[in-house]
Amino acid sequence: MMVSEFMKNISQQELGRRISAYRKKKNMTLKQLSEDSGISAGFLSKIENGLCNPSISVIQKICFSLQISVNELAAVKTQDELMSTIHQNESYVLRKDERCLIYGFGDTFRLENIYRGAPDFKVNVITLMAGRSEQTQCVQTCDNLGMIARGRMGITLDDSTYYELDEGDCIMIRAEQKYSIVNLSDDVCVSFWIEMMQP
C-alpha cells in the first residue's frame, strides 16, 4: 500500500517537506537518518523532494527513526480544529462513525481521535484488524496511557521488554519510548489511548 492511500490530504511534496522539517528539527543529516532507518540516503532525498511515493513500511521506519508518530506526520489541521472546537462547552455523544480518522493502514490498522478539547490531553482509539499479525512501530512525544477494550495486544518496548495485554489491561508508555504493537487475537483488537500533552 502506498502512502497516498492513507494520507489522502497530503501531497507527496508536503509529505517530503514535513519529513525534512522533522529531520532538521532533530539535527539529523540524511546520512544519519539513512543509517538509523535502513533506507538509502538517495531514496530519502527523493522522498523529501516529493519525487516518489513511499510505502507505509518506509513511512513507519522514517517516523520511528525521527521519534515521531505517523499521526504527527500525517495530521490534518482541519481534523485537529474540529476535535478541539465541537461541543467544546457542553456534554455530547460521539458516535463510532463520527470519529476523526487520523490515519489507517488499509485492512491492518486504524488510528482515530475521539477527544481533543483540553489543552493537556487527548483520547485516541487504535483498532488492529482481525487476522493480521504485522507489527506496527510507534513512538510518541508525550506519555500515553493505553487500555485494551477488546481482544489481546502484544507490545514490545525498544529495550526488548515484551508484554501481552488482555481486555481491561492498561499500560503506561512514557514519552519518546519506541515500541511496537501487534494483534494477538483472532478477532479485532481495540484499545483506547490517553495522550498526556507536555506543558
Side-chain angles (χ1 to χ4, degrees), residues 72-114:
E72 291 171 270
L73 184 65
V76 179
K77 189 175 181 183
T78 53
Q79 288 182 337
D80 290 342
E81 290 172 343
L82 175 64
M83 293 309 295
S84 64
T85 57
I86 60 169
H87 311 297
Q88 193 168 27
N89 298 312
E90 59 188 65
S91 299
Y92 66 96
V93 171
L94 182 70
R95 303 292 180 190
K96 184 177 180 180
D97 61 352
E98 296 173 332
R99 296 173 182 168
C100 283
L101 176 65
I102 298 171
Y103 60 90
F105 299 164
D107 59 352
T108 304
F109 179 97
R110 283 178 68 86
L111 174 66
E112 299 166 295
N113 182 240
I114 60 174

Side-chain angles (χ1 to χ4, degrees), residues 2-190:
M2 304 308 281
V3 70
S4 60
E5 295 179 45
F6 74 100
M7 288 197 212
K8 297 184 189 297
N9 296 312
I10 300 177
S11 67
Q12 285 180 206
Q13 290 75 22
E14 176 63 13
L15 173 65
R17 188 196 65 74
R18 291 184 185 191
I19 290 171
S20 177
Y22 275 114
R23 176 177 61 78
K24 290 172 182 174
K25 186 176 179 183
K26 298 282 184 180
N27 295 315
M28 292 180 79
T29 64
L30 270 175
K31 183 179 177 184
Q32 289 170 324
L33 181 57
S34 172
E35 290 171 354
D36 193 64
S37 66
I39 301 165
S40 76
F43 189 46
L44 287 170
S45 178
K46 287 182 180 179
I47 293 170
E48 287 193 0
N49 288 301
L51 300 176
C52 63
N53 196 11
S55 68
I56 288 170
S57 63
V58 168
I59 292 296
Q60 282 188 308
K61 288 176 183 176
I62 292 170
C63 289
F64 199 66
S65 296
L66 294 175
Q67 296 187 338
I68 60 171
S69 66
V70 179
N71 174 13
E72 291 171 270
L73 184 65
V76 179
K77 189 175 181 183
T78 53
Q79 288 182 337
D80 290 342
E81 290 172 343
L82 175 64
M83 293 309 295
S84 64
T85 57
I86 60 169
H87 311 297
Q88 193 168 27
N89 298 312
E90 59 188 65
S91 299
Y92 66 96
V93 171
L94 182 70
R95 303 292 180 190
K96 184 177 180 180
D97 61 352
E98 296 173 332
R99 296 173 182 168
C100 283
L101 176 65
I102 298 171
Y103 60 90
F105 299 164
D107 59 352
T108 304
F109 179 97
R110 283 178 68 86
L111 174 66
E112 299 166 295
N113 182 240
I114 60 174
Y115 179 78
R116 186 180 178 152
D120 51 357
F121 78 96
K122 62 181 176 179
V123 182
N124 296 323
V125 180
I126 292 178
T127 304
L128 301 174
M129 306 308 179
R132 308 297 296 202
S133 59
E134 293 91 346
Q135 288 198 352
T136 301
Q137 295 179 328
C138 309
V139 63
Q140 302 290 345
T141 55
C142 51
D143 291 348
N144 270 259
L145 176 66
M147 184 183 81
I148 310 304
R150 179 177 173 189
R152 298 182 70 235
M153 179 185 285
I155 298 183
T156 305
L157 304 182
D158 62 357
D159 64 1
S160 298
T161 305
Y162 176 72
Y163 300 100
E164 291 187 1
L165 304 177
D166 296 309
E167 289 182 20
D169 290 347
C170 297
I171 186 169
M172 172 63 77
I173 298 182
R174 296 300 182 181
E176 310 300 337
Q177 172 77 65
K178 293 182 180 179
Y179 62 100
S180 61
I181 59 176
V182 65
N183 185 356
L184 298 178
S185 53
D186 295 328
D187 197 359
V188 68
C189 177
V190 179

